[in-house]
């Protein structure tokens, strides 16, 4: 056999759980973009069970290849059974996946996609072991000598002709030895291997990058709590539209006036807008309508999502309690309102198609309620972030779940209580909180609306009764008046909206220790630093035998736990810090010129080993004097001064070395 004679074997010896091989292989089959960042995803066909006698004709049909040409491949894809004394009939599971690469705009602004590449995934199994013949993951792997997935690349032309790319056929196989497993990659024709860096990676990449990840996944053998990304929309349409919008709105990064990270927020909102636009386009196609859906974004924040959706032709507006600086840059075609939002009859949207909650915090559980009460046809999209109940912070109840999974389940429960059939999906955004919930249809008929509303009201009241301690506090504040300062009505206790909801303040309170009095911060820093300098380099040991004061070697001190640092401070200071988000630890991390906080322990920072590095941060130029807007703490306070020279230090060694800052002064709390 000419083809089989050129087989190459590339192996990676790993300790691996055999039962985890199929879950690991499934990631590469269903979600190759997790490893290959140049792919957007795949589109899979239904898998079919094929017996050995029909395998040749099945592959011939799918690959457009004659049977005699395929006969050379059978020894390559063949897997044997253990001699268990049971006569087994060999069978296969065959499916097709279409590779979807990330697309790029050409010089004319149009979008092009490379010729589609498909791969056949062959999963051998045995009918006497498995009953679910289509579901390849339920294989009894203990009865297999070799477990393998074979990939047969197919190229489909614009005219619909299908050709098998024989040079790039490969197989990933798990072989069991006495006490460990070995992952091997077999290439049919390595000397003819073609690589374009996208759909066809290099063989060296498959062994150096893919196989180690497969080995790790096989050992972990754990499934995700959440669905795969973009499970409710066509991935190929998302990929094309995302690249278009990304290039259209990328200039927003350069003019971003907010203090938040522009790249994160701009491209995150571009991704969310892309998802909604594709979801809504599919909805219009399904319903056979052409008019674009209207929307209201509740708690719209910077308003960029509203700006993109308005620009792309969808009528709608965003509402937030506080206007952002960037609102003025959008222009008159972006509709944004500065207004406090309180769940009540005053905030219903009967003419609106979709309500959006993008990191809407305290409004998140109310959005399905507002959508349900606005109209029978109103739908919603919510992307939960911070954990809120109807009238305060969400209280955990299930310790066996992660807090995030539990909260997603809670919002899904709210949605169901409001009469929605709820879908869950996972977005592709630069955030750990990327699971969205969507309510597109109701679980009851429109004439049953009155009964559904009664169930809805009972559910909300039941949740609020369980939140008695928080309700009592907020009711004291609400008892004085029934209106906000802007005249908006607050619902009375016992109404269908319940009580206890507390909208956020119009003026955002800074509680990250950045606005604390300067003398308080400086006092804490000095006290902690002195305590660390009294320690030896071994954390927690007092430096009685150390002569660091008498040596010319720069002393970095020891380390203390956060609890030990707290014991150095008086109660008044600790009470002040407890009111801040993160408390003492946040203050220490903010003082990154002086301290390094790692693993719950505090160290003096040694700038000879480099300064603090932020993930994905771009290196800043260190032009002499350009960054010296603050005094060097070590030059002023450390017994040995600064470990760096005046030229190398980023901070000023004395008043004469200071440069004026171009940043506005922070408002400090007295």
């Amino acid at each position: 056999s000419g083809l089989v004679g050129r087989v190459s074997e590339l192996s990676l010896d790993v300790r691996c759980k055999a039962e985890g091989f199929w879950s690991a292989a499934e990631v590469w089959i269903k979600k190759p973009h997790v490893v290959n960042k140049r792919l957007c995803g795949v589109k899979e066909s239904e898998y079919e069970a094929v017996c050995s006698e029909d395998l040749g004709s099945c592959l011939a049909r799918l690959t457009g290849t004659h049977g005699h040409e395929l006969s050379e491949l059978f020894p390559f894809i063949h897997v044997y059974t253990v001699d268990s004394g049971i006569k087994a009939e060999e069978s296969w599971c065959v499916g097709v996946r279409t590779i979807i690469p990330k697309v790029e705009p050409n010089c004319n602004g149009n979008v092009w996609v490379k010729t589609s590449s498909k791969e056949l995934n062959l999963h051998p199994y045995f009918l006497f072991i498995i009953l679910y013949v289509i579901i390849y993951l339920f294989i009894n792997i203990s009865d297999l000598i070799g477990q393998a997935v074979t990939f047969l690349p197919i190229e489909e032309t614009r005219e619909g002709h299908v050709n098998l790319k024989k040079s790039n056929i490969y197989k990933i196989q798990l072989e069991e030895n006495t006490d460990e497993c070995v992952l091997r990659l077999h290439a049919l024709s390595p000397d003819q291997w073609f690589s374009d860096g996208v759909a066809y990676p290099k063989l060296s990449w498959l062994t150096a990058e893919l196989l180690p990840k497969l080995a790790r996944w096989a050992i972990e053998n754990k499934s995700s709590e959440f669905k795969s990304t973009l499970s409710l929309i066509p991935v190929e349409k998302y990929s094309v539209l995302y690249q278009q919008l990304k290039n259209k709105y990328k200039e927003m990064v350069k003019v971003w006036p907010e203090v938040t990270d522009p790249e994160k927020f701009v491209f995150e909102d571009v991704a969310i807008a892309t998802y909604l636009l594709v979801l809504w386009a599919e909805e219009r196609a399904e319903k056979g309508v052409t008019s674009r859906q209207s929307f209201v974004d509740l708690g719209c924040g910077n308003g960029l999502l509203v700006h993109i959706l308005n620009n792309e032709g969808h009528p709608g507006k965003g509402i937030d309690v506080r206007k952002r600086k960037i609102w003025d840059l959008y222009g008159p075609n972006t509709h944004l309102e500065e207004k406090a939002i309180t769940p009540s009859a005053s905030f219903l949207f009967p003419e609106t198609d979709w309500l959006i909650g993008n990191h809407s915090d305290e409004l998140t559980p109310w959005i399905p309620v507002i959508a349900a009460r606005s109209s029978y046809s109103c739908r919603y999209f919510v992307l939960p972030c911070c954990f809120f109940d109807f009238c305060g912070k969400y209280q955990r109840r299930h310790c066996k779940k992660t807090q995030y999974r539990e909260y997603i389940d809670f919002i899904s429960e709210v949605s169901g209580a409001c009469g929605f059939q709820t879908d869950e999906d996972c977005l592709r955004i630069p955030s750990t909180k990327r699971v969205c919930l969507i309510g597109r249809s109701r679980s009851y008929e429109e004439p049953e609306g009155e009964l559904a509303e009664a169930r809805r009201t009972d559910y909300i009241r039941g949740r609020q009764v369980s939140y008695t301690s928080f309700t009592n506090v907020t009711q004291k504040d609400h008892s004085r008046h029934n209106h906000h300062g802007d005249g908006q009505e607050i619902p009375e206790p016992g109404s269908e909206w319940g009580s206890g909801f507390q909208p956020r303040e119009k003026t955002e309170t800074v509680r990250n220790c950045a606005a604390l009095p300067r003398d308080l911060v400086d006092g804490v820093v000095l006290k902690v630093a002195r305590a660390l300098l009294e320690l030896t380099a071994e954390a927690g040991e007092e430096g009685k035998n150390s002569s660091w004061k008498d040596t010319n070697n720069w002393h970095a001190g020891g380390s203390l736990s956060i609890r030990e640092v707290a014991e150095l401070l008086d109660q008044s200071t600790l009470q002040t810090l407890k009111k801040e988000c993160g408390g003492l630890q946040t203050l220490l991390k903010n003082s990154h010129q002086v301290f390094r906080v790692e693993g719950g322990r505090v160290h003096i920072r040694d700038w000879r080993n480099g300064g603090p590095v932020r993930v994905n941060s771009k290196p800043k130029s260190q032009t002499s004097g350009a960054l010296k807007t603050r005094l060097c703490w070590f030059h002023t306070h450390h017994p040995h001064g600064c470990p760096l020279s005046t030229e190398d230090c980023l901070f000023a060694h004395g008043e004469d070395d200071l440069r004026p800052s171009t940043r506005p002064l922070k408002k400090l709390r007295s």
Side-chain angles (χ1 to χ4, degrees):
S1 55
L3 288 175
V4 177
R6 298 194 296 271
V7 170
S8 169
E9 181 181 290
L10 305 170
S11 65
L12 177 71
D13 293 341
V14 293
R15 296 188 64 184
C16 183
K17 290 185 178 180
E19 60 268 22
F21 172 73
W22 289 105
S23 61
E26 185 187 39
V27 177
W28 177 237
I29 294 168
K30 296 180 177 295
K31 299 184 285 186
H33 56 276
V34 172
V35 189
N36 187 348
K37 301 302 182 182
R38 296 180 179 180
L39 299 181
C40 184
V42 296
K43 183 178 181 180
E44 289 187 288
S45 70
E46 292 291 332
Y47 284 83
E48 55 180 304
V50 181
C51 63
S52 295
E53 291 76 11
D54 297 332
L55 182 61
S57 59
C58 176
L59 295 181
R61 170 172 52 85
L62 293 173
T63 64
T65 308
H66 296 296
H68 68 276
E69 297 180 62
L70 288 171
S71 62
E72 296 180 315
L73 300 178
F74 290 156
F76 180 75
I77 64 178
H78 190 69
V79 178
Y80 300 91
T81 61
V82 172
D83 186 9
S84 59
I86 302 176
K87 184 176 180 58
E89 180 182 354
E90 191 174 70
S91 185
W92 303 84
C93 184
V94 182
V96 179
R97 69 172 184 174
T98 302
I99 299 292
I100 304 171
K102 290 182 178 178
V103 297
E104 297 291 341
N106 60 24
C107 59
N108 298 321
N110 298 319
V111 171
W112 59 271
V113 183
K114 293 186 178 181
T115 304
S116 63
S117 173
K118 297 181 179 179
E119 292 180 342
L120 292 178
N121 307 323
L122 308 180
H123 310 285
Y125 62 86
F126 307 93
L127 291 179
F128 77 93
I129 293 175
I130 185 70
L131 297 176
Y132 303 94
V133 294
I134 297 178
I135 304 177
Y136 59 86
L137 288 178
F138 295 161
I139 299 172
N140 187 343
I141 57 179
S142 61
D143 290 338
L144 298 177
I145 288 179
Q147 306 160 60
V149 184
T150 304
F151 299 86
L152 307 178
I154 304 167
E155 291 185 344
E156 186 175 8
T157 65
R158 294 179 182 274
E159 293 77 22
H161 301 302
V162 176
N163 298 308
L164 175 64
K165 194 171 185 65
K166 296 179 181 178
S167 62
N168 284 58
I169 296 175
Y170 69 99
K171 173 172 63 176
I172 298 173
Q173 186 164 354
L174 180 73
E175 298 179 6
E176 297 181 62
N177 294 334
T178 305
D179 56 353
E180 65 177 12
C181 297
V182 176
L183 271 182
R184 287 195 170 93
L185 187 141
H186 304 272
L188 186 61
S189 304
D191 55 330
Q192 299 178 15
W193 186 273
F194 168 77
S195 174
D196 63 1
V198 183
Y200 299 120
K202 294 180 180 180
L203 278 174
S204 58
W205 183 91
L206 289 173
T207 53
E209 296 291 334
L210 176 62
L211 286 183
K213 286 185 170 61
L214 287 175
R216 189 179 79 244
W217 295 334
I219 292 173
E220 294 173 352
N221 192 21
K222 59 181 181 181
S223 58
S224 172
E225 294 181 291
F226 306 103
K227 289 190 174 183
S228 300
T229 58
L230 312 181
S231 63
L232 299 179
I233 62 173
V235 178
E236 64 275 17
K237 293 182 180 179
Y238 175 90
S239 177
V240 173
L241 184 58
Y242 175 74
Q243 291 298 330
Q244 288 177 330
L245 297 183
K246 182 179 179 181
N247 283 279
K248 185 175 182 179
Y249 296 101
K250 65 183 179 182
E251 296 300 318
M252 294 296 301
V253 173
K254 299 178 181 179
V255 297
W256 194 257
E258 307 292 337
V259 296
T260 50
D261 181 1
E263 290 195 0
K264 177 187 185 300
F265 282 89
V266 170
F267 295 126
E268 179 173 320
D269 282 350
V270 166
I272 296 170
T274 303
Y275 185 91
L276 287 172
L277 290 170
V278 174
L279 182 73
W280 292 347
E282 293 297 298
E283 182 184 64
R284 292 196 301 274
E286 182 181 340
K287 293 182 176 181
V289 298
T290 56
S291 58
R292 295 180 183 269
Q293 294 91 332
S294 60
F295 71 92
V296 174
D297 187 350
L298 299 175
C300 63
N302 60 52
L304 181 56
L305 178 59
V306 177
H307 174 64
I308 297 173
L309 295 177
N310 282 162
N311 267 8
E312 300 305 314
H314 284 271
K317 64 181 180 180
I319 305 174
D320 200 278
V321 69
R322 181 169 53 87
K323 180 180 178 180
R324 308 301 200 273
K325 298 175 185 176
I326 198 171
W327 287 16
D328 295 328
L329 301 183
Y330 293 140
N333 294 326
T334 300
H335 306 289
L336 300 166
E337 295 181 9
E338 184 180 17
K339 184 186 297 183
I341 304 170
T342 301
S344 64
S346 302
F347 278 94
L348 296 180
F349 306 93
E351 304 300 323
T352 300
D353 295 318
W354 283 80
L355 298 186
I356 298 172
N358 175 19
H359 296 325
S360 45
D361 295 347
E362 70 277 3
L363 286 172
T364 298
W366 284 104
I367 287 178
V369 181
I370 297 173
R373 288 174 171 170
S374 290
S375 71
Y376 183 76
S377 61
C378 187
R379 289 87 76 193
Y380 78 86
F381 167 94
V382 68
L383 184 62
C385 181
C386 299
F387 308 138
F388 283 88
D389 207 320
F390 288 111
C391 50
K393 287 286 188 177
Y394 178 78
Q395 303 299 305
R396 295 201 64 180
R397 299 184 178 186
H398 305 284
C399 60
K400 293 184 179 180
K401 298 181 181 179
T402 64
Q403 186 178 18
Y404 186 43
R405 177 70 263 178
E406 181 182 341
Y407 189 67
I408 293 295
D409 289 343
F410 163 61
I411 300 300
S412 182
E413 177 186 297
V414 173
S415 178
C418 289
F420 283 101
Q421 294 180 342
T422 312
D423 294 314
E424 179 182 311
D425 206 353
C426 193
L427 306 186
R428 289 187 187 170
I429 56 176
S431 173
T432 56
K433 308 290 178 59
R434 53 200 186 104
V435 176
C436 68
L437 295 173
I438 302 172
R440 292 184 284 186
S441 59
R442 304 296 174 93
S443 58
Y444 61 92
E445 298 297 328
E446 189 169 5
E448 301 172 324
E450 188 173 337
L451 181 60
E453 173 58 30
R455 291 194 296 264
R456 196 178 298 136
T457 301
D458 289 342
Y459 177 81
I460 295 171
R461 287 176 179 169
R463 291 293 307 187
Q464 291 173 328
V465 166
S466 66
Y467 214 99
T468 305
S469 59
F470 289 86
T471 305
N472 289 340
V473 173
T474 53
Q475 279 180 347
K476 291 179 181 179
D477 295 332
H478 289 173
S479 62
R480 301 174 193 164
H481 52 80
N482 289 325
H483 292 81
H484 289 300
D486 57 4
Q488 295 169 43
E489 183 180 352
I490 295 178
E492 291 287 346
S495 71
E496 69 273 16
W497 295 94
S499 63
F501 176 80
Q502 188 70 30
R504 63 178 58 188
E505 299 294 332
K506 183 173 182 178
T507 303
E508 188 175 26
T509 304
V510 179
R511 297 197 180 278
N512 62 352
C513 296
L516 287 174
R518 191 71 255 172
D519 58 344
L520 184 145
V521 175
D522 291 343
V524 171
V525 170
L526 190 59
K527 179 175 288 190
V528 175
R530 284 176 175 171
L532 293 172
L533 290 173
E534 290 294 334
L535 303 175
T536 64
E538 294 184 12
E541 294 185 8
E542 295 187 7
K544 293 180 180 179
N545 299 323
S546 173
S547 58
W548 65 269
K549 294 182 180 179
D550 302 323
T551 181
N552 291 324
N553 294 327
W554 195 85
H555 181 62
S559 71
L560 292 170
S561 67
I562 297 294
R563 175 176 292 182
E564 290 170 331
V565 172
E567 292 173 352
L568 299 173
L569 307 178
D570 58 68
Q571 286 300 314
S572 175
T573 301
L574 290 175
Q575 288 300 321
T576 300
L577 293 178
K578 282 183 179 180
K579 297 176 182 177
E580 304 295 306
C581 296
L584 174 60
Q585 185 166 226
T586 296
L587 185 148
L588 296 171
K589 288 184 176 180
N590 288 353
S591 304
H592 51 76
Q593 182 193 161
V594 184
F595 301 118
R596 175 171 55 89
V597 183
E598 291 181 353
R601 299 194 70 83
V602 185
H603 312 256
I604 293 287
R605 184 175 298 282
D606 188 345
W607 283 84
R608 295 171 298 181
N609 299 327
V613 179
R614 295 182 181 180
V615 179
N616 298 327
S617 64
K618 296 181 180 179
K620 295 182 179 180
S621 61
Q622 296 187 13
T623 306
S624 178
L627 301 177
K628 299 190 177 185
T629 59
R630 297 175 59 192
L631 288 171
C632 175
W633 185 93
F634 295 100
H635 178 78
T636 306
H637 298 285
H638 195 283
H640 294 153
C642 180
L644 302 179
S645 66
T646 302
E647 292 75 20
D648 294 331
C649 185
L650 297 177
F651 304 94
H653 286 195
E655 297 288 343
D656 295 338
D657 199 23
L658 275 174
R659 296 293 182 271
S661 176
T662 57
R663 292 186 177 182
L665 294 175
K666 293 180 180 178
K667 295 181 179 179
L668 302 181
R669 293 197 295 275
S670 57

